[in-house]
């Protein structure tokens, strides 16, 4: 029997936490192991409970979600705890900082219940949640000027092509179709890219691609988030 996905919910609003718990607890493969009302509680409980996924609100009193994310990621190196940020706004400079802190993606709080469940499963499986209509726009608005990552010069031309498509928010299946290769081949390329750049997931790959100038600003599309049903 497959182990349940252990989820920690961090939000300063009791009703929000209760709603998320009701949604997630109704799934047979998800187990809500704890709730935190602020960032410090989220860090403490994460270190104690070792959840697979932390649903982290961006704005909380005291230690906010960004700082808490950085602490959890720093303490959790070598573990599989991943942070999925929650925000009320689709444009929020704090979210970009959260991605830099090591978050594996972010969601809007007004998303459908099935999308939240899908997002938790996606992040728990080791992938990152990229919402092209939000993530790329955030990066375009708040990314620092181009700063070439040392690992980029070690990428092969094909790996660089894959990185560019990852940065556009494309899934492995979409990249495979674009490059006329198998999904397994794309997955191998992505794994090598992450290893060479010294990063943990696709979201950080997007950040590197934009910060280094590998991908430049473009008008965001209205396509649905990769990894989530439309």
């Amino acid at each position: 029997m497959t182990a349940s996905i252990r989820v920690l919910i961090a939000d300063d609003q009791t009703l929000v936490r209760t709603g998320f718990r009701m949604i997630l607890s109704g799934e047979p493969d998800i187990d809500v192991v704890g709730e935190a009302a602020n960032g410090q509680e989220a860090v403490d409980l994460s270190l104690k409970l070792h959840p697979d996924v932390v649903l982290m609100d961006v704005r909380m009193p005291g230690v906010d979600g960004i700082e808490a994310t950085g602490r959890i990621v720093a303490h959790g190196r070598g573990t599989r705890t991943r942070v999925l940020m929650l925000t009320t706004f689709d444009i929020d400079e704090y979210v970009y900082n959260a991605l830099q802190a090591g978050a594996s993606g972010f969601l809007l709080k007004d998303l459908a219940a099935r999308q939240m469940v899908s997002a938790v499963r996606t992040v728990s499986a080791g992938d990152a949640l990229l919402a092209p209509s939000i993530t790329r726009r955030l990066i375009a608005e708040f990314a620092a000027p181009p700063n070439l990552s040392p690992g980029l010069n070690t990428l092969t031309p094909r790996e660089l092509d894959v990185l560019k498509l990852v940065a556009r928010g494309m899934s492995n299946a979409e990249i495979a179709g674009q490059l006329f290769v198998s999904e397994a081949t794309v997955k191998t390329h992505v794994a090598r890219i992450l290893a060479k750049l010294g990063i943990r997931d696709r979201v950080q790959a997007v950040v590197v691609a934009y910060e280094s100038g590998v991908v430049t600003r473009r008008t965001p599309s209205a396509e649905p988030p990769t990894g989530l049903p439309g």
Side-chain angles (χ1 to χ4, degrees):
M1 182 177 178
T2 303
S4 295
I5 300 169
R6 296 166 55 80
V7 177
L8 171 66
I9 300 171
D11 196 290
D12 61 330
Q13 297 183 44
T14 303
L15 287 178
V16 171
R17 296 198 308 272
T18 300
F20 290 163
R21 175 182 281 275
M22 290 178 62
I23 292 171
L24 297 175
S25 295
E27 299 298 319
D29 60 334
I30 296 177
D31 181 19
V32 177
V33 296
E35 296 181 18
N38 56 61
Q40 186 59 57
E41 285 186 11
V43 173
D44 294 341
L45 287 176
S46 180
L47 295 178
K48 177 182 178 181
L49 301 173
H50 304 292
D52 300 307
V53 178
V54 179
L55 282 180
M56 180 79 75
D57 188 20
V58 173
R59 300 180 179 183
M60 292 184 288
V63 176
D64 64 20
I66 299 170
E67 185 174 350
T69 294
R71 293 183 188 180
I72 290 172
V73 171
H75 284 296
R77 297 195 187 282
T79 70
R80 63 189 309 269
T81 297
R82 292 175 174 269
V83 179
L84 187 55
M85 302 300 301
L86 296 165
T87 179
T88 305
F89 309 102
D90 64 345
I91 290 296
D92 190 335
E93 67 270 25
Y94 299 117
V95 177
Y96 178 74
N97 293 334
L99 298 182
Q100 289 186 310
S104 293
F106 69 93
L107 300 171
L108 297 181
K109 287 186 178 179
D110 61 356
L111 85 170
R114 61 189 175 85
Q115 291 180 315
M116 174 175 290
V117 172
S118 178
V120 167
R121 289 173 178 151
T122 296
V123 171
S124 174
D127 208 343
L129 190 68
L130 303 179
S133 63
I134 302 173
T135 305
R136 290 202 301 246
R137 181 167 46 178
L138 273 168
I139 292 170
E141 290 296 327
F142 301 111
N147 180 24
L148 192 62
S149 173
L152 284 174
N153 59 9
T154 67
L155 300 184
T156 65
R158 178 44 62 95
E159 288 168 350
L160 197 57
D161 289 339
V162 171
L163 175 60
K164 291 176 181 178
L165 296 179
V166 167
R168 298 300 185 195
M170 299 179 75
S171 66
N172 286 350
E174 292 168 333
I175 295 172
Q178 180 86 7
L179 299 180
F180 303 102
V181 297
S182 69
E183 284 189 55
T185 297
V186 174
K187 187 174 182 180
T188 297
H189 283 315
V190 171
R192 289 175 178 169
I193 290 168
L194 299 184
K196 289 182 178 181
L197 297 181
I199 53 181
R200 60 183 283 172
D201 58 35
R202 297 167 79 101
V203 167
Q204 291 186 329
V206 173
V207 173
V208 169
Y210 276 90
E211 285 191 331
S212 64
V214 169
V215 176
T216 56
R217 294 187 181 199
R218 61 181 293 181
T219 302
S221 67
E223 59 190 299
T226 300
L228 292 182

